[in-house]
Amino acid sequence: MIKLKDININNLSLWVQQAQTQAKQASVIQRIPLLAIADPSWFAVHIYCQSGESYSYGNTACIFPLMSVIKPFSFLYLLEYLGTEKVLDWVGLEASAMPFNSLDQLMADNGHPRNPMINSGAITLADKLPGKDGNHRTQLFCEWLNKLAGSHLSLDLDMLASVRATRSQVNLAIAHYLHQTGHIENIEFTLDTYEQICCISGTVEDLGKLGKLLACESSFVNSQHRQIVNAVMLTCGLYEASSQYAVKIGLPMKSGISGALLAIVPNKGAMPAAYPFGEASYAKRLEESGAIACYSPALDSIGNPVAGLAFIEALSQNLQLSIFS
């Protein structure tokens, strides 16, 4: 379970070193100039536990854009404000065997995004965020996250300018097809919103605080919505590699091309009236809740951070964190 007594500086340092070794053949993304200058050797981790304990290691002062790691939270935001039925009418819950920015997948599905973790789904949901324009939508969304999580996220305007200077033509094509098939209303407003929310930035500590929203029972997030988001992260959060890491790690996860990576160790909800495996076993599972946030900008060919995944795999296997354990 995630407890500080199980994580000491020696094994944590060892797992980080092993993870960084595996990342030596990976590289940072080149398409966005400000992401391209990141040092591929950077690594930071912040672990939050439901008990309130936390642990940090590495280049924890680094500030980075969340990029696609924002997707579970825009999904959660809309579930909270608009309800499950409406949101799941806009996006599906199926995994995609194609890359996260595949136009072919979207066309094969007649413009209905497979899930909210790929670009077509996240762009569709960006169109539905409350607010009069991209700036207002992003402001409201960021304020909501900071209020609930106690984080200090903010929009990185320099990163946004870098993203806009090299706007993804694939995302533009996806937005046009979504508009053509009636899934979004305004192409430019939608892409502007999508690009802005992807440039919401913070540290691994901020990302870990966001993770607690999905990991722990609370009075301010609907438990069913948490379960839906975690389930989709498990099956879709790492794109085509999601099923592979569901086996290797067994945790809901989401990655971003900045090198951001979030893993959720969710609790099991309220204890049942009867304890078929003994009361102690349920108490132990409830203690395991937490979030693991990593930052490691060197990516594999799919777009997942290599060192972050290697570290969380080591952590999960050594501490038996898999939800299937």
Side-chain angles (χ1 to χ4, degrees):
M1 65 177 69
I2 300 181
K3 275 188 170 292
L4 290 181
K5 68 178 182 180
D6 299 321
I7 304 173
N8 61 59
I9 191 64
N10 294 322
N11 58 27
L12 191 60
S13 176
L14 175 63
W15 296 334
V16 170
Q17 290 175 23
Q18 292 173 341
Q20 288 178 309
T21 298
Q22 293 190 39
K24 286 184 177 179
Q25 303 304 315
S27 58
V28 300
I29 189 170
Q30 297 298 307
R31 183 178 64 80
I32 299 171
L34 278 188
L35 290 182
I37 64 175
D39 186 333
S41 70
W42 284 340
F43 186 91
V45 59
H46 194 92
I47 300 170
Y48 262 108
C49 309
Q50 185 178 21
S51 64
E53 297 172 305
S54 64
Y55 203 92
S56 293
Y57 187 89
N59 307 104
T60 55
C62 286
I63 296 175
F64 52 89
L66 300 187
M67 292 293 167
S68 286
V69 179
I70 202 67
K71 293 174 181 176
F73 298 99
S74 60
F75 185 35
L76 179 66
Y77 183 53
L78 288 171
L79 287 171
E80 289 286 294
Y81 273 89
L82 300 174
T84 304
E85 184 176 353
K86 181 170 285 189
V87 175
L88 296 187
D89 188 49
W90 293 326
V91 294
L93 299 174
E94 296 180 59
S96 173
M98 296 187 187
F100 62 85
N101 61 349
S102 175
L103 178 60
D104 290 339
Q105 181 74 81
L106 183 64
M107 295 178 72
D109 295 331
N110 299 312
H112 189 259
R114 285 253 168 152
N115 65 72
M117 303 298 154
I118 56 178
N119 287 15
S120 58
I123 290 170
T124 297
L125 295 187
D127 179 67
K128 317 302 181 188
L129 295 180
K132 60 186 179 182
D133 56 28
N135 294 339
H136 191 219
R137 293 171 183 172
T138 303
Q139 178 187 353
L140 292 175
F141 180 37
C142 195
E143 288 175 351
W144 182 78
L145 290 172
N146 285 334
K147 180 179 180 180
L148 264 63
S151 53
H152 297 89
L153 301 166
S154 62
L155 175 62
D156 186 332
L157 293 175
D158 290 335
M159 185 62 67
L160 179 60
S162 189
V163 168
R164 286 173 171 169
T166 54
R167 171 173 277 181
S168 167
Q169 295 305 300
V170 176
N171 283 347
L172 184 60
I174 286 172
H176 274 282
Y177 193 72
L178 289 168
H179 183 263
Q180 178 185 330
T181 52
H183 290 82
I184 65 173
E185 293 185 9
N186 185 296
I187 294 171
E188 188 55 41
F189 281 178
T190 299
L191 279 180
D192 180 45
T193 303
Y194 176 71
E195 290 167 352
Q196 287 200 46
I197 65 172
C198 286
C199 291
I200 291 175
S201 301
T203 65
V204 282
E205 182 176 357
D206 292 313
L207 183 55
K209 287 180 177 179
L210 288 187
K212 286 189 73 175
L213 296 177
L214 295 173
C216 306
E217 290 281 352
S218 69
S219 60
F220 42 83
V221 175
N222 182 291
S223 60
Q224 182 189 37
H225 297 159
R226 286 176 50 247
Q227 291 169 18
I228 291 170
V229 175
N230 283 329
V232 178
M233 287 174 69
L234 179 71
T235 57
C236 308
L238 300 178
Y239 312 120
E240 312 99 285
S242 297
S243 59
Q244 172 189 343
Y245 285 103
V247 173
K248 284 185 176 183
I249 296 175
L251 296 173
M253 300 177 70
K254 187 70 193 81
S255 63
I257 59 170
S258 62
L261 181 66
L262 180 64
I264 305 300
V265 186
N267 63 20
K268 304 300 179 182
M271 287 192 183
Y275 306 98
F277 303 108
E279 183 174 352
S281 67
Y282 283 91
K284 179 181 177 183
R285 295 301 291 178
L286 285 169
E287 288 175 351
E288 293 176 349
S289 306
I292 308 163
C294 291
Y295 170 60
S296 56
L299 310 177
D300 62 19
S301 60
I302 293 175
N304 292 321
V306 173
L309 282 173
F311 171 78
I312 293 177
E313 182 177 346
L315 196 69
S316 178
Q317 292 182 357
N318 280 280
L319 302 185
Q320 297 184 327
L321 300 180
S322 172
I323 61 174
F324 306 111
S325 296

